[in-house]
Amino acid sequence: MSLLEIQDLSVVYEPRGAVPTHAVKNASLSLEQGEFVGLVGESGSGKSTLGFAVTRLAKAPARISGGRIVFDGTDIAHLDAEELRTQRRGGFAMVLQSGMNALNPVRTIAHHFGDIFAAHGHVPKARRRQRATELLDKVQLPSTVLDRYPGELSGGMRQRVSIALALSLEPRLMVFDEPTTALDVLVQHAVMDTIRELQAAEGFTAVLISHDLGVVLESAERVVVMHDGEIVEDGASRQIFSAPAHPYTQMLLSHYADPRAEVVELPGFERKAPQDGAARPERAAAHDAIVVDHVSKVYPPPRRGEQAVTAVDDVSFRLEPGAAMALVGQSGSGKSTIAKMITGVERPTSGTVTFGDLRVDRLRRRQLKTLHADVQMVFQDPYSALNPLHTVEYTLTRPVENFAGLKGEAARERVLELLETVGLTPVEQYAAKLPHQLSGGQRQRVVIARALASNPQVLIADEPVSMLDVSLRAGVLGLLEDLRAGLGVSLLYITHDLLSARVVTDQIMVLHHGRVVESGGTTQVLRFPEDAYTTQLLDAIPQPARRFADGQAS
Amino acid sequence: MRYALRKLGLLVLTLWAAVTLNFVIPRLMPGSPADAAIAKLAQNGPVTPSVQAAIEAQLGMPGGSIWDQYVAYLNNVIHLDFGVSYTFFPQQVSELVAGALPWTLIMVGAVTVIAFVLGTLIGIGAAWKRGTWMDSLPTVGGSFLSAFPYFWTALLIVFFLGYVLGWFPTSGAYSATAVPNLSWEFLGDVLYHAALPAATILLTSLGGWILGMRNTMINTLGDDYVTFAEANGLRGRTVAIRYAARNAILPNLTGFGMALGGVVGGSLLVEQVFAYPGVGYLLFNAVTNQDFPLMQALFLMITVSVLLANFLVEILYGVLDPRTRR
């Protein structure tokens, strides 16, 4: 008998006063004891809803509208609250996406363990601390963590603590809902390793929910692909990797590539900009270079008695007009601080930043406007970069009026032209929309259109695609490429994602602890990295191809 | 511990600043109490210089340099010597304040604390049982009651319960015939007299606490640590109290601190309506009679009570929220 049998399960969202949406439609799935299964899909595919339903954590307005969830012989879909609660020990556990928020900020880690032990009474009082220490040891944390509050731990440590907490239930099924998505690249890799080792050692059934097919293929033996609430494919990882049957799976898979490969191609993305200044673009918006010369930024100590933080340490580079350069590194490497100094938001502690004749590090408030007409930012999160109360037209009209000085009909024409440029057609329709009526990719296009309103010479894009589904990424990257080829703007591309850096940039700088550890042509650096840190970053990228090529996987 | 000491140091500093301001501001105002008294007398006939000198002496007009005055003033404040009241001459201001303060602290202070605790508990229940009658009844009732201006509620209560039905006394802190002592009989009499003003404050402030707690707790109920606690099979009560409510109460503490600080100064209207002999009542008399020493002492008291309440809440924050201790 299977450990978990999901039969014809449907989950519906019924928000008050809105049309109900069927998030999961007639899903059937069975999991054997000890399996490691990946559940993949893009946002809105219903994968998390399924995960929450299976662990009976779905809350109103979500409702299980049909089907059975048979766990170890009992249908848990309709258990009452107390029965369900006691079932959780030795049953099914869940690790949430943002482990950093999964812990109660006002209770120590020891209390978290104590609460679980007390709720189920499966560990006697005298043994609790010892047991908690054992569990922490399994996720490679020292016992000193016990007396800390969640706020005193790093994101990766908190996610490890929440895995240890889930483990303390001695579950037979563990659902990991995007366990590493909110974490830093290198930490992600380490936490995934721990999850894999734990699963092998403890033998629980693991369900890994992720939007990242690469991560799943690297860990799971079996992959279940969801699209629009339905399970569209279910098969062994090797088979999904080498011969995906469903077009949706094929599409997801086509967006994976190794940034180290000789030729890197993404579907829907075409390389247009001249590489290494071979030919000039049709128009040359950019004619000034950004010169960053021996720049350092030191922040005062966060608390008394602590050390000052050196965010950027003696960085120099030159962004030629029309060039595309990538700044890569993990979070805290100083890449965003550099962007802030180039846009005049922060002033360097030492060193100079010049743009054309402007000394950016000395600009006054009024001169900043001149700078911002030429240097514009595209932000990471398109969901919070747009005011939800304003239409697209309003959002774009403001910078058009402020920077270009256009009014009335002329301004409107320019707005529509901008929408055309970023590929949001029919333009009239999009102009009238509010942000919530747009997808993430469309919103990011609006953000880019807004950045273009002043006819800038330079675009600084800070992780512009990291919040987007893979299928939308190529489109936005393609747009950045078009802008460079068509308008001739320079691009400073900030990311931790080496694959996208490889396709849209010519030059790359790898930052670590605020220092440049390696720089050069993007292709050269990524194909033949010289610094250990660059190699580390490259190794952190899930590479299903490697796993299956080596033949080490089952 | 270091956190508490730091806050204590800050309290001493702000106290000194408040006391100093209380010294400076009246001296920046044109005219003096003596001028006011003389002007009043002048309406009945000419005031001779000797009368003027007598009045100034009687009112204890300060002499000497501003520095001497400041040192003398600080000395007086430390010894709680605020001079003699004009209205209740020759009673000491400190005696008057000492007579009024307990009534306000006990009646208004206790009710404020009770309202906060009760409202918070009801708010927790409402959020936990969201969407049921346990939620809708207190939230709708609470918003209805807190929509009334509280002096209006006070007037309605005095009129119906006190005047028309005659169930409760309408003025004073205890019966005119009672002699203050520590007998059960006297305590009962005090509670009986406090019932109406207390009910007014409770009714009008309860709704705010209920709504505040309910809304913050609805937010924390959606937080990941609550979902995770449920996923780990913790008991409903543990999740509601130690996880959701424990975090939801933090933002409400600020409001509680402000309410506590307002106890001394904010009871003016209620005490006026119910003729309750507390600080608010005293302050009203002081203002209408231009009783400067009394006013000055009361203003200082109000400032100090706000500072103390804030200090208390910050210490409470330190105890309840590990993130503030750093």
Side-chain angles (χ1 to χ4, degrees):
Chain A
M1 193 178 60
S2 307
L3 178 69
L4 181 74
E5 270 299 324
I6 302 169
Q7 297 162 355
D8 266 335
L9 186 72
S10 295
V11 182
V12 61
Y13 278 90
E14 296 167 322
R16 230 184 270 179
V19 194
T21 35
H22 297 270
V24 175
K25 301 167 196 160
N26 302 322
S28 292
L29 186 66
S30 76
L31 303 180
E32 305 302 323
Q33 179 71 47
E35 258 192 310
F36 198 131
V37 181
L39 185 55
V40 186
E42 292 184 297
S43 49
S45 63
K47 57 186 192 306
S48 287
T49 310
L50 182 62
F52 274 77
V54 165
T55 46
R56 280 300 310 276
L57 287 170
K59 278 191 217 168
R63 184 174 65 84
I64 296 177
S65 58
R68 282 152 49 87
I69 305 168
V70 183
F71 181 81
D72 198 21
T74 33
D75 184 2
I76 59 165
H78 305 287
L79 281 186
D80 74 49
E82 184 56 25
E83 267 183 291
L84 185 68
R85 190 184 78 73
T86 49
Q87 277 270 311
R88 291 191 185 276
R89 191 187 84 71
F92 33 90
M94 177 92 159
V95 173
L96 298 172
Q97 170 164 11
S98 35
M100 37 265 293
N101 306 328
L103 303 176
N104 187 343
V106 298
R107 285 178 88 64
T108 61
I109 304 304
H111 276 125
H112 282 83
F113 281 103
D115 285 343
I116 296 179
F117 296 148
H120 300 288
H122 62 302
V123 179
K125 254 206 168 102
R127 269 209 71 229
R128 282 182 188 167
R129 209 176 160 86
Q130 190 198 338
R131 177 70 185 139
T133 309
E134 285 167 25
L135 287 161
L136 284 176
D137 188 51
K138 283 182 203 273
V139 293
Q140 291 146 33
L141 286 178
S143 62
T144 46
V145 165
L146 280 176
D147 296 315
R148 306 237 169 262
Y149 287 95
E152 298 168 341
L153 303 177
S154 72
M157 286 166 96
R158 275 182 267 177
Q159 189 61 294
R160 283 172 191 276
V161 168
S162 66
I163 293 172
L165 285 168
L167 215 55
S168 73
L169 293 168
E170 295 153 21
R172 297 174 62 193
L173 169 70
M174 260 179 109
V175 178
F176 298 89
D177 184 15
E178 305 262 11
T180 59
T181 307
L183 302 176
D184 193 36
V185 253
L186 293 179
V187 183
Q188 270 185 14
H189 200 58
V191 171
M192 269 322 295
D193 284 344
T194 304
I195 291 177
R196 268 195 299 270
E197 284 159 21
L198 270 179
Q199 195 269 339
E202 310 279 318
F204 53 78
T205 307
V207 176
L208 173 65
I209 300 174
S210 179
H211 68 284
D212 192 337
L213 187 56
V215 169
V216 166
L217 280 175
E218 211 178 38
S219 312
E221 300 149 26
R222 182 178 148 198
V223 177
V224 175
V225 184
M226 282 191 81
H227 181 49
D228 270 345
E230 285 172 41
I231 294 179
V232 295
E233 190 157 2
D234 178 356
S237 300
R238 177 180 290 275
Q239 182 216 328
I240 297 256
F241 175 70
S242 50
H246 196 274
Y248 182 72
T249 318
Q250 291 164 359
M251 188 279 290
L252 284 181
L253 207 57
S254 69
H255 286 277
Y256 283 88
D258 186 347
R260 276 183 270 209
E262 198 178 336
V263 182
V264 176
E265 277 179 348
L266 287 183
F269 178 85
E270 204 185 323
R271 190 91 211 204
K272 288 176 187 150
Q275 299 208 5
D276 306 324
R280 303 300 306 164
E282 310 148 33
R283 278 171 59 191
H287 42 82
D288 290 320
I290 287 178
V291 183
V292 173
D293 191 27
H294 295 287
V295 158
S296 295
K297 177 73 189 176
V298 181
Y299 288 103
R303 273 168 235 128
R304 224 176 304 162
E306 287 182 22
Q307 292 236 310
V309 181
T310 307
V312 175
D313 190 1
D314 193 24
V315 169
S316 302
F317 65 89
R318 190 181 164 89
L319 180 67
E320 297 294 344
M325 178 184 274
L327 286 181
V328 299
Q330 69 193 108
S331 51
S333 59
K335 50 194 196 303
S336 292
T337 310
I338 292 178
K340 283 182 188 160
M341 289 190 286
I342 294 175
T343 47
V345 176
E346 295 270 5
R347 276 161 201 260
T349 313
S350 63
T352 59
V353 179
T354 39
F355 172 70
D357 310 327
L358 287 176
R359 270 292 293 277
V360 177
D361 51 303
R362 285 199 191 151
L363 288 185
R364 289 168 195 286
R365 192 169 275 275
R366 184 160 303 176
Q367 294 165 302
L368 273 177
K369 195 178 163 185
T370 334
L371 175 73
H372 289 165
D374 278 328
V375 180
Q376 279 282 323
M377 283 283 291
V378 174
F379 299 97
Q380 174 172 14
D381 182 1
Y383 296 89
S384 61
L386 295 174
N387 187 331
L389 298 177
H390 292 319
T391 61
V392 169
E393 175 164 3
Y394 182 85
T395 302
L396 296 180
T397 306
R398 293 299 299 274
V400 165
E401 286 178 350
N402 283 342
F403 286 115
L406 300 173
K407 288 269 180 292
E409 200 48 43
R412 186 177 155 76
E413 237 162 72
R414 173 75 178 130
V415 167
L416 297 182
E417 188 186 304
L418 284 169
L419 285 173
E420 178 100 46
T421 312
V422 297
L424 288 175
T425 47
V427 287
E428 255 102 16
Q429 254 179 43
Y430 280 103
K433 293 208 179 195
L434 287 167
H436 75 266
Q437 296 168 311
L438 303 172
S439 75
Q442 290 168 339
R443 283 183 219 211
Q444 195 60 296
R445 283 169 192 268
V446 175
V447 174
I448 294 173
R450 181 173 62 186
L452 292 174
S454 61
N455 283 318
Q457 298 192 39
V458 184
L459 277 186
I460 299 180
D462 191 351
E463 303 269 14
V465 296
S466 68
M467 307 279 289
L468 304 178
D469 277 328
V470 271
S471 57
L472 300 172
R473 285 185 188 180
V476 172
L477 292 177
L479 172 61
L480 289 176
E481 181 75 6
D482 287 346
L483 295 176
R484 210 154 75 76
L487 302 178
V489 295
S490 331
L491 177 68
L492 187 65
Y493 184 76
I494 297 169
T495 190
H496 66 272
D497 172 22
L498 299 175
L499 178 61
S500 61
R502 170 80 194 266
V503 297
V504 293
T505 64
D506 312 321
Q507 298 285 312
I508 194 167
M509 290 206 324
V510 184
L511 286 162
H512 186 37
H513 293 324
R515 297 191 74 95
V516 179
V517 293
E518 191 164 1
S519 65
T522 305
T523 313
Q524 177 68 23
V525 168
L526 292 184
R527 290 203 63 203
F528 310 105
E530 278 170 11
D531 190 82
Y533 180 71
T534 315
T535 318
Q536 225 181 329
L537 280 180
L538 282 162
D539 285 342
I541 305 169
Q543 287 304 336
R546 230 181 311 153
R547 177 184 178 199
F548 295 116
D550 297 351
Q552 51 171 266
S554 52
Chain B
M1 203 52 224
R2 265 188 54 198
Y3 170 81
L5 284 178
R6 210 165 62 219
K7 292 294 170 198
L8 191 68
L10 215 60
L11 173 72
V12 171
L13 205 72
T14 37
L15 268 179
W16 169 78
V19 166
T20 304
L21 272 179
N22 205 41
F23 168 82
V24 173
I25 291 174
R27 277 160 182 77
L28 293 177
M29 294 195 296
S32 75
D35 293 341
I38 291 161
K40 232 183 237 176
L41 278 182
Q43 290 170 349
N44 305 331
V47 181
T48 60
S50 61
V51 172
Q52 183 171 347
I55 286 173
E56 282 179 2
Q58 192 182 20
L59 294 180
M61 287 299 284
S65 74
I66 195 90
W67 179 248
D68 290 340
Q69 287 181 31
Y70 181 59
V71 172
Y73 163 81
L74 278 187
N75 189 41
N76 287 342
V77 167
I78 289 163
H79 294 100
L80 296 178
D81 179 3
F82 297 100
V84 181
S85 163
Y86 297 172
T87 356
F88 303 96
F89 190 80
Q91 266 190 292
Q92 288 284 320
V93 165
S94 49
E95 280 172 35
L96 286 168
V97 173
L101 193 61
W103 296 113
T104 297
L105 278 187
I106 291 169
M107 195 270 288
V108 190
V111 172
T112 305
V113 174
I114 290 170
F116 176 72
V117 172
L118 205 64
T120 301
L121 287 177
I122 297 175
I124 292 173
W128 187 243
K129 299 281 178 192
R130 191 184 181 181
T132 65
W133 68 268
M134 273 187 71
D135 179 17
S136 45
L137 186 76
T139 39
V140 172
S143 10
F144 178 74
L145 283 177
S146 50
F148 286 97
Y150 74 113
F151 49 88
W152 174 244
T153 315
L155 285 174
L156 284 182
I157 287 182
V158 161
F159 183 70
F160 286 105
L161 296 182
Y163 185 70
V164 176
L165 294 169
W167 290 352
F168 291 98
T170 55
S171 71
Y174 48 89
S175 306
T177 52
V179 181
N181 55 33
L182 269 179
S183 69
W184 288 114
E185 197 186 339
F186 179 70
L187 282 179
D189 190 46
V190 166
L191 285 179
Y192 185 49
H193 277 78
L196 287 191
T200 308
I201 298 174
L202 190 66
L203 279 180
T204 46
S205 60
L206 193 62
W209 298 124
I210 295 177
L211 292 181
M213 187 61 190
R214 176 192 175 270
N215 293 347
T216 45
M217 177 142 157
I218 295 251
N219 277 332
T220 55
L221 278 176
D223 279 347
D224 280 343
Y225 50 81
V226 171
T227 311
F228 190 55
E230 283 174 350
N232 290 334
L234 301 198
R235 289 200 175 82
R237 179 186 284 264
T238 318
V239 177
I241 304 294
R242 290 197 188 156
Y243 284 73
R246 182 71 169 64
N247 281 287
I249 202 167
L250 297 174
N252 291 324
L253 284 180
T254 311
F256 180 55
M258 283 166 72
L260 270 188
V263 161
V264 172
S267 54
L268 200 144
L269 281 172
V270 169
E271 292 187 353
Q272 195 57 32
V273 171
F274 293 99
Y276 201 80
V279 176
Y281 194 64
L282 196 61
L283 179 61
F284 184 79
N285 280 327
V287 172
T288 45
N289 294 315
Q290 296 193 328
D291 190 340
F292 289 96
L294 188 53
M295 268 196 275
Q296 200 178 14
L298 287 174
F299 287 142
L300 192 63
M301 290 253 324
I302 290 169
T303 323
V304 169
S305 61
V306 170
L307 290 178
L308 279 178
N310 276 337
F311 172 70
L312 214 69
V313 164
E314 287 200 351
I315 294 297
L316 210 58
Y317 261 120
V319 173
L320 289 179
D321 190 345
R323 286 164 295 186
T324 52
R325 263 174 252 162
R326 274 176 264 154

